[in-house]
């Protein structure tokens, strides 16, 4: 009995210590979330934040009974829903009346003063975010429910999805019961990155950031929402007793609670200040990273707001000043193809010049062949044009009613317009690509990759020097690098005798790189450094690899159909064959050396953090040269985790699983590497 009591006491002590640490970590994470999302003034690096978060996850997994709904780790959880439940708003989420010019704004102010028979005590202006309106309900400081606006009276319960948005605090800084309204949106750059990902997967593209935000919030699976880069600005009190008399004070109070408020809110004494503010943002909205479609103008005095009241649809004390429409009509004179620096072919509409959002537009990207087909844009069509995010011109849709029958359908070329090489489009992808390694459109990027540390590792031949060589027309493909002379380099800016000689020596030394490095340097689609090493070890010579059929390649365990197709396409292109022949003639090695021993055969390593004396590429090469394998995630099958400075969550995971952890010195000992004194 005494022993049992001791065990219980020990467990209680462990629980108490874990509980204290868990609560401390939660408070630290909430504090840093507040600094990052509300104040935009982070105090720690992402890696340090990740370390705090990983420690909290580990503790909550070890002590699941200490996990609480407001923990930062509980943003995504539970299974996907089959549908959204309805939520009736206790206070309707009304829409705003619109104004379109300065005269209407002045009339708005005059009408309000006439209604309450006294001057308006100032106005607050806020940017009208082009997103999706939501309401957030907190009970004693805990986030308990969130919903869409819906029809203003009934919305959808999207609590689980809203919990995934990191700028929405799960716990306020004060234990208040309050309902607030806000706008969920997506940053333009994040939107473009999301559409790029969807394009690569062959998925339908979102039309604009607003549609992307709305679609992301209405996902039945919160994990999908969590993968989307959503954000929020809170702008209005719904329900709750607050000790403030003005809307401007209320917004500052929201910030004190930990809620995110737009930084461009401004207080004005009269309507003329409002007009100046609206005029400024009509001209400068493109300076923002997110879309706005106007300015919201509100009476600042909350008592005056209450006296003014609302109609069945809109509050009388607020109005939206809408910016001018951004869509115009013009004609598609031709559709040409541009070749990007990575070889992707992009259809481009040449337009009859037209003014859009303050500038003249004469061309607009059509993104890819599938977009042209989906929108059914033809040469000769009249089309609607707008600036996506008020910056990038895009074709919205053709005006089919204006077609005459003379319009021509666009056809993607089978050969590159820049170099004549074959154009390929892989199964499951939307991008068409030029496979030519001497393509002038891809030249600069290709050469930078060829000379990089992961490639031929030519010291002194960085991006700026490559740019000089290309600009001087000294290098037009990778093989030209091995024909450079001392006189060629001395003709370039900032090149002296010593630097020219050093570079020529580095180029000469690179000829001895193994086949695996050459394959990486060539930049074959889907062939990175790991795949290059697999291919080099299997085929041993470039000649054998070049002659390999798709069946030969698929026989290699790590090679799939996409990689096999890309390799066959690369070696079938005459342009590439000529470059490889010239590299051979220049003396560039095209063989993989035989490996003397495989002491680490069958061993799996994971790397995390930065080693003081070796790059990641060097460590991977040393491990693989001895038969070991490097993977990206820690599992029970991992044999060793190599830890450097500022390790991430992989280090914590290794500790949890009891996997051997090596520092640099221990790794070198295992590899049998002797460091020079």
């Amino acid at each position: 009995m005494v022993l049992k009591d001791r065990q219980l006491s020990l467990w209680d002590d462990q629980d108490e210590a874990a509980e204290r640490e868990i609560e401390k970590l939660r408070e630290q994470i909430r504090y840093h979330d507040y600094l990052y999302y509300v104040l935009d003034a982070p105090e720690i690096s992402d890696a340090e934040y990740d370390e705090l978060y990983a420690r909290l996850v580990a503790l909550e997994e070890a002590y699941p009974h200490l996990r609480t709904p407001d923990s930062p780790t509980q943003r995504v959880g539970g299974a996907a829903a089959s549908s959204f439940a309805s939520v009736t708003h206790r206070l309707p989420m009304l829409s705003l009346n619109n104004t379109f010019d300065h005269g209407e704004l002045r009339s708005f102010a005059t009408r309000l003063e006439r209604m309450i028979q006294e001057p308006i005590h100032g106005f607050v202006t806020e940017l009208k975010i082009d997103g999706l309106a939501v309401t957030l309900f907190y009970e004693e400081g805990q986030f308990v429910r969130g919903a869409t606006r819906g029809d203003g009276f009934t919305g959808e319960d999207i609590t689980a999805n809203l919990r995934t948005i990191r700028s929405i605090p799960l716990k306020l800084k004060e234990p208040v019961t309050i309902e607030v309204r806000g706008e969920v949106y997506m940053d333009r750059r994040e939107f473009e990155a999301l559409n790029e990902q969807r394009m690569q997967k062959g998925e339908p593209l979102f039309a604009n950031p607003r549609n992307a935000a709305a679609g992301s919030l209405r996902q039945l699976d919160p994990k999908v929402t969590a993968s989307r880069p959503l954000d929020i600005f809170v702008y209005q009190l719904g329900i709750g007793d607050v000790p403030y008399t003005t809307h401007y004070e209320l917004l500052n109070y929201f910030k004190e609670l930990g809620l995110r408020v737009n930084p461009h809110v401004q207080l004005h004494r009269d309507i003329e200040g409002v007009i100046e503010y609206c005029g400024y943002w009509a001209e400068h909205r493109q300076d923002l990273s997110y879309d706005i479609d106007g300015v919201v103008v509100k009476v600042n005095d909350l008592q005056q707001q209450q006296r003014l009241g609302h109609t069945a649809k809109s509050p009388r004390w607020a109005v939206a000043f809408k910016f001018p429409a951004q869509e115009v009509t013009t004609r598609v004179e031709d559709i040409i193809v541009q070749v990007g620096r990575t070889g992707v072919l992009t259809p481009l509409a040449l337009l009859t010049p037209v003014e859009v959002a303050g500038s003249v537009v004469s061309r607009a990207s059509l993104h890819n062949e599938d977009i042209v087909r989906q929108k059914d844009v033809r040469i000769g069509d009249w089309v609607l044009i707008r600036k996506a995010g008020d910056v990038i011109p895009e074709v919205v849709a053709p005006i089919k009613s204006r077609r005459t029958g003379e319009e021509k359908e666009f056809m993607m070329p089978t050969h590159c317009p820049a170099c004549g090489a074959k154009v390929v489009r892989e199964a499951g992808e939307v991008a068409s690509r030029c496979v030519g390694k001497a393509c002038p459109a891809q030249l600069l990027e290709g050469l930078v990759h060829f000379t990089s540390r992961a490639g031929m590792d030519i010291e002194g031949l960085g991006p700026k020097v490559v740019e000089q060589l290309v600009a001087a027309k000294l290098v037009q493909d990778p093989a030209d690098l091995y024909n450079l002379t001392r006189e060629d380099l001395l003709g370039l800016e900032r090149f002296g005798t010593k630097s020219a000689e050093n570079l020529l020596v580095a180029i000469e030394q690179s000829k001895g790189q193994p086949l695996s490095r050459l394959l990486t340097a060539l930049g074959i689609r889907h062939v990175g450094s790991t795949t290059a090493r697999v291919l080099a070890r299997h085929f041993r010579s470039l000649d054998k690899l070049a002659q390999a059929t798709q069946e030969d390649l698929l026989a290699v365990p790590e090679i799939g159909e996409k990689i096999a197709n890309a390799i066959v396409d690369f070696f079938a292109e005459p342009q590439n064959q000529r470059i490889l022949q010239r590299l051979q003639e220049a003396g560039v090695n095209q063989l993989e050396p035989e490996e003397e021993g495989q002491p680490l055969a069958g061993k799996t390593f994971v790397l995390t953090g930065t080693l003081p004396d070796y790059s990641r590429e060097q460590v991977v090469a040393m491990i693989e040269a001895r038969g070991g394998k490097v993977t990206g995630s820690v599992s029970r099958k991992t044999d060793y985790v190599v830890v450097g400075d500022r390790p991430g969550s992989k280090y914590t995971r290794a500790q949890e699983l009891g996997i051997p952890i090596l520092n640099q010195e221990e790794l070198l000992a295992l590899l049998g590497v002797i460091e020079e004194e």
Side-chain angles (χ1 to χ4, degrees):
M1 186 66 179
V2 173
L3 178 60
K4 185 176 181 181
D5 288 343
R6 282 183 179 176
Q7 289 174 331
L8 288 172
S9 176
L10 177 61
W11 290 335
D12 287 344
D13 289 345
Q14 289 175 336
D15 268 15
E16 288 179 10
E19 188 172 11
R20 286 194 299 271
E21 185 175 359
I22 284 172
E23 192 51 43
K24 181 180 178 182
L25 286 166
R26 287 174 184 165
E27 288 303 318
Q28 286 179 299
I29 291 170
R30 290 185 191 117
Y31 172 71
H32 291 299
D33 281 345
Y34 176 71
L35 291 178
Y36 187 91
Y37 293 109
V38 179
L39 301 185
D40 193 23
E43 289 183 350
I44 61 174
S45 67
D46 289 349
E48 290 171 308
Y49 180 93
D50 290 344
E51 187 175 341
L52 292 174
Y53 191 87
R55 176 59 180 162
L56 178 58
V57 169
L59 283 170
E60 289 185 346
E61 287 180 353
Y63 300 89
H65 59 288
L66 297 178
R67 188 180 291 131
T68 60
D70 67 341
S71 173
T73 65
Q74 299 305 295
R75 289 192 175 274
V76 185
S82 58
S83 62
F84 294 115
S86 295
V87 174
T88 300
H89 301 305
R90 292 167 60 190
L91 183 71
M93 296 182 69
L94 302 177
S95 58
L96 295 174
N97 285 325
N98 295 328
T99 61
F100 297 94
D101 59 47
H102 297 168
E104 290 180 351
L105 281 175
R106 292 188 178 98
S107 297
F108 164 71
T110 301
R111 184 168 62 252
L112 298 185
E113 291 183 349
R114 188 169 59 245
M115 289 178 66
I116 60 174
Q117 297 296 306
E118 68 180 31
I120 298 299
H121 303 155
F123 296 92
V124 174
T125 49
E126 305 167 35
L127 301 181
K128 190 174 183 299
I129 312 299
D130 196 10
L132 186 74
V134 299
T135 182
L136 311 175
F137 183 69
Y138 289 86
E139 192 170 279
E140 296 184 356
Q142 306 288 331
F143 177 54
V144 295
R145 188 172 61 257
T148 62
R149 177 183 178 276
D151 62 5
F153 298 92
T154 303
E156 294 175 315
D157 188 332
I158 54 168
T159 306
N161 290 349
L162 289 169
R163 289 175 67 88
T164 70
I165 301 175
R166 289 193 171 274
S167 50
I168 295 179
L170 300 182
K171 183 178 181 181
L172 298 178
K173 297 171 82 66
E174 295 180 15
V176 294
T177 296
I178 193 172
E179 182 188 356
V180 296
R181 276 78 192 270
E183 195 86 1
V184 174
Y185 69 96
M186 187 178 291
D187 186 280
R188 280 197 295 267
R189 288 184 181 177
E190 301 286 5
F191 163 74
E192 290 163 8
L194 175 62
N195 259 355
E196 178 67 27
Q197 293 171 10
R198 294 176 71 83
M199 184 186 301
Q200 296 296 333
K201 295 176 182 177
E203 297 174 346
L205 303 186
F206 288 113
N208 51 53
R210 186 189 186 283
N211 286 0
S216 301
L217 266 187
R218 298 193 72 258
Q219 292 289 326
L220 294 176
D221 186 352
K223 291 183 176 64
V224 177
T225 306
S227 70
R228 305 279 175 80
L230 299 176
D231 223 325
I232 192 172
F233 285 125
V234 172
Y235 58 77
Q236 189 69 43
L237 175 69
I239 295 172
D241 293 327
V242 293
Y244 296 101
T245 60
T246 70
H247 180 67
Y248 191 74
E249 291 174 330
L250 192 60
L251 294 177
N252 285 320
Y253 175 58
F254 288 166
K255 288 192 285 187
E256 292 173 7
L257 290 177
L259 296 162
R260 190 163 181 259
V261 176
N262 190 280
H264 300 294
V265 172
Q266 198 160 323
L267 179 62
H268 308 274
R269 288 189 302 175
D270 54 38
I271 201 66
E272 294 305 317
V274 170
I275 290 171
E276 185 178 346
Y277 180 94
C278 292
Y280 175 86
W281 284 111
E283 293 182 5
H284 291 85
R285 53 179 162 155
Q286 67 273 11
D287 298 342
L288 298 166
S289 64
Y290 46 85
D291 286 350
I292 61 173
D293 58 0
V295 171
V296 177
V297 183
K298 299 175 182 176
V299 170
N300 186 38
D301 190 303
L302 298 180
Q303 188 177 29
Q304 287 189 333
Q305 285 187 12
Q306 190 173 11
R307 288 171 59 193
L308 288 163
H310 56 81
T311 66
K313 295 182 178 180
S314 309
R316 294 191 179 95
W317 44 266
V319 72
F321 176 81
K322 299 300 289 288
F323 296 142
Q326 299 301 301
E327 292 186 352
V328 298
T329 303
T330 189
R331 191 166 178 268
V332 177
E333 296 181 354
D334 198 0
I335 298 177
I336 63 172
V337 172
Q338 285 188 325
V339 185
R341 59 183 182 177
T342 60
V344 174
L345 275 65
T346 303
L348 186 72
L350 301 184
L351 310 168
T352 302
V354 62
E355 186 170 330
V356 188
S359 63
V360 175
V361 171
S362 60
R363 52 179 57 198
S365 172
L366 291 168
H367 303 291
N368 59 64
E369 186 178 11
D370 284 358
I371 294 295
V372 179
R373 297 283 171 263
Q374 289 170 14
K375 293 186 176 182
D376 190 21
V377 179
R378 304 179 184 181
I379 299 169
D381 265 337
W382 285 90
V383 292
L384 284 175
I385 299 294
R386 71 177 173 204
K387 284 189 177 178
D390 297 330
V391 178
I392 304 169
E394 70 172 351
V395 176
V396 179
I399 305 172
K400 296 183 180 180
S401 61
R402 297 186 65 172
R403 283 181 175 165
T404 64
E406 298 294 322
E407 295 78 16
K408 298 178 182 178
E409 291 191 19
F410 166 77
M411 300 297 293
M412 182 66 78
T414 58
H415 289 79
C416 175
C419 72
K422 183 182 176 183
V423 170
V424 299
R425 178 177 172 180
E426 296 180 6
E429 293 196 358
V430 297
S432 298
R433 299 175 186 273
C434 165
V435 298
K437 285 292 110 181
C439 180
Q442 305 176 62
L443 179 59
L444 187 60
E445 177 114 345
L447 286 172
V448 169
H449 177 74
F450 186 88
T451 62
S452 68
R453 180 175 293 182
M456 298 301 278
D457 193 17
I458 304 177
E459 188 175 349
L461 195 48
K464 290 185 178 179
V465 176
V466 170
E467 285 182 24
Q468 286 183 284
L469 294 171
V470 172
K473 300 189 184 304
L474 293 172
V475 176
Q476 296 182 344
D477 64 50
D480 285 339
L481 292 169
Y482 296 95
N483 295 326
L484 289 172
T485 66
R486 181 170 172 272
E487 288 68 30
D488 290 334
L489 297 178
L490 289 176
L492 300 178
E493 186 179 356
R494 296 182 181 177
F495 260 93
T497 302
K498 186 65 176 177
S499 56
E501 289 175 354
N502 288 342
L503 180 54
L504 290 174
V505 168
I507 293 173
E508 184 66 26
Q509 289 175 342
S510 75
K511 293 179 181 180
Q513 292 285 12
L515 173 61
S516 55
R517 284 297 193 98
L518 176 60
L519 290 177
T520 302
L522 289 172
I524 303 170
R525 179 86 171 137
H526 300 309
V527 178
S529 56
T530 300
T531 303
R533 284 190 286 270
V534 169
L535 291 167
R537 287 174 182 171
H538 185 87
F539 291 97
R540 292 293 169 187
S541 78
L542 188 67
D543 186 53
K544 288 183 180 178
L545 177 60
Q547 295 177 30
T549 64
Q550 186 184 46
E551 291 73 22
D552 296 333
L553 291 161
L554 291 175
V556 182
E558 293 90 342
I559 304 301
E561 189 172 345
K562 274 189 175 182
I563 299 175
N565 289 338
I567 293 169
V568 170
D569 286 336
F570 177 86
F571 286 107
E573 171 55 45
Q575 184 184 117
N576 298 341
Q577 294 171 5
R578 289 192 294 271
I579 292 174
L580 296 176
Q581 179 62 35
R582 292 181 59 220
L583 287 170
Q584 186 179 45
E585 292 170 356
V588 175
N589 173 57
Q590 299 186 356
L591 301 174
E592 186 73 5
E594 293 293 336
E595 293 152 351
E596 296 180 1
Q598 299 285 294
L600 299 180
K603 300 296 183 183
T604 300
F605 291 73
V606 172
L607 312 180
T608 181
T610 304
L611 295 183
D613 301 317
Y614 295 89
S615 69
R616 179 183 178 83
E617 291 80 9
Q618 289 172 316
V619 174
V620 170
M622 288 191 294
I623 291 172
E624 291 185 344
R626 291 157 178 80
K629 180 180 179 182
V630 178
T631 62
S633 59
V634 179
S635 71
R636 297 187 186 279
K637 295 181 180 180
T638 304
D639 294 291
Y640 299 100
V641 173
V642 181
V643 176
D645 295 334
R646 301 169 71 96
S649 58
K650 297 172 186 176
Y651 175 54
T652 306
R653 182 62 175 160
Q655 289 177 311
E656 293 170 3
L657 296 176
I659 294 169
I661 295 171
L662 307 176
N663 58 25
Q664 177 177 295
E665 185 177 348
E666 292 165 336
L667 172 65
L668 296 177
L670 181 66
L671 296 175
V673 176
I674 301 174
E675 291 191 284
E676 294 182 4
E677 294 293 335

